[in-house]
Structure formats: C-alpha cells, structure tokens
Amino acid sequence: MRFIVGLFRLVIAAMCFMGTYEAWSKPEYWTYFTFQAGFALGFVMLWSGAATILKGIQPPAWLKGCVTVYAVITAAVAFVMMPPDDPAYVPAVLGLMTNTWLHRVAPILAVADFLLFDPHRRFPWHYMFSWLAYFPVYLAFVVIRAALWPTAGPAAGGNPYPYAFIDLKALGLIQFGINCFQLALAFLGIGLVTFLIDRILPAKPLVG
C-alpha cells in the first residue's frame, strides 16, 4: 500500500508540473496565485511521494496542510471566479488542458490525499492563521510589480494584475481593500474547515 500511496502523490506532483510548465517560458505567468500554489503543491507532493516510497522524512504537517488549503483555494477560484479555458490558447497534455490539470484535477486529488492518506489531529489551532501569511505577501508582490512594470502582463492588453478582483488600478483603493478583506476571510474559512476536518478524522490515516 505504501508504494501505491507514494505513486499517487508523485502523480499529483506530475500534474502540477505539467500545469505550470508554461510559466518557465512566460515568466509573467508566475504572477498568478494558482501557478505559485500549484508549483508549491507539486514540490510538496514530490517530497511526500518520494518519502513515502523510501520511508524517508515527510513534509512537516504545517506545510502539508498549507498546500492543501491553497489547493482548495485554487480549485475554488477556477470553478467559481474564472471563465472556462479556451483550447485555442491553453495547451493540452494527455488530452486535458494544462489549466485543468493544475486548477481542477490536482487540487481534487490533493484533497483526497489529505483525507485518506495523511495522519490527522496534527494541526494546532493557530495553523489556520499562519496559513494566511502568504496572502499579504502575494498581494504586495502583485501591487509592487504592477507599479514597477505597468504593462508587463500577464492579463490581456499587458495588464499587470492577474485577476480582475485584485486590480487596484481598475477598482480603486477602497474596493481593492474590501475585496482583499473578503478574500482573507475566505482563506481563513477554508483553513478553519481544514483544521476541523483534521480534528474530526481519526489520528491514523483512513487508508494505508
């Protein structure tokens, strides 16, 4: 069973790296939160998969929980807030568009991995707040980059803001702040649900 779990995690890592490969030739794509979160998920799953097969040291519980939360956020953004991918612009790998692998399939499998194969009851209550730490860092990165390179993309027309709901120039400072506050609450809510599920499930993995 250990090898099956390890291979499952390596497959998730492969999906993440397939989904982010465009960013290596188009660096502006790293401005997207979903690309950053997807690469982090791929790295952690590669580590976890190799450690599972080789009986090595697993990623820390905080880190595994963090990328799981971000995977759920990635999927939520993809399903709820982003338009469908256009196959004329998004490349396909193994019959699915790369964004589908990264934004939908990999996050779903990452949640399955967390529920089925991870030990539980490992998260102190403050983890759900520390998982939020990267959010203001990401926002600062986007705003500073936009100020320095206002036509650098990745959005249409060279717009440096990757998402309309954090486009400071278009929204204005007040609406930008409101949107960021709402997003932070959503992040915190997903972190809280992850923490509660971790508390409810048995300490030992459900499978394996």
Side-chain angles (χ1 to χ4, degrees):
M1 190 65 196
R2 185 178 88 251
F3 292 99
I4 294 174
V5 174
L7 288 174
F8 181 81
R9 288 169 171 168
L10 294 178
V11 166
I12 297 174
M15 290 178 183
C16 292
F17 296 142
M18 282 192 299
T20 58
Y21 89 92
E22 282 184 281
W24 298 109
S25 59
K26 299 176 181 178
E28 65 272 18
Y29 278 29
W30 290 114
T31 312
Y32 288 107
F33 176 86
T34 50
F35 273 74
Q36 296 181 20
F39 184 80
L41 176 63
F43 172 78
V44 172
M45 284 299 177
L46 179 62
W47 176 359
S48 184
T52 301
I53 293 172
L54 301 175
K55 295 184 178 181
I57 299 174
Q58 288 287 338
W62 180 89
L63 181 58
K64 191 62 162 38
C66 184
V67 295
T68 301
V69 168
Y70 288 3
V72 174
I73 293 167
T74 295
V77 169
F79 280 110
V80 177
M81 305 183 75
M82 295 179 67
D85 296 320
D86 186 344
Y89 298 99
V90 180
V93 178
L94 299 178
L96 285 178
M97 287 181 286
T98 53
N99 282 354
T100 302
W101 288 116
L102 182 65
H103 299 157
R104 292 172 171 83
V105 181
I108 290 170
L109 295 184
V111 170
D113 176 78
F114 165 70
L115 293 174
L116 299 176
F117 304 135
D118 274 355
H120 296 287
R121 302 182 183 178
R122 301 187 298 164
F123 299 156
W125 64 269
H126 56 81
Y127 274 14
M128 57 183 165
F129 295 100
S130 60
W131 288 331
L132 278 171
Y134 188 64
F135 181 58
V137 174
Y138 173 74
L139 290 174
F141 160 71
V142 169
V143 171
I144 293 171
R145 178 182 179 275
L148 294 175
W149 297 287
T151 60
N159 187 345
Y161 290 96
Y163 306 106
F165 49 84
I166 57 168
D167 187 337
L168 175 59
K169 185 176 180 180
L171 296 170
L173 185 59
I174 293 176
Q175 188 60 51
F176 174 80
I178 292 172
N179 288 3
C180 290
F181 178 71
Q182 291 174 339
L183 287 168
L185 289 180
F187 274 54
L188 183 60
I190 293 171
L192 175 59
V193 170
T194 303
F195 168 77
L196 292 175
I197 291 173
D198 179 72
R199 285 293 176 186
I200 291 169
L201 290 173
K204 292 184 178 180
L206 295 178
V207 178

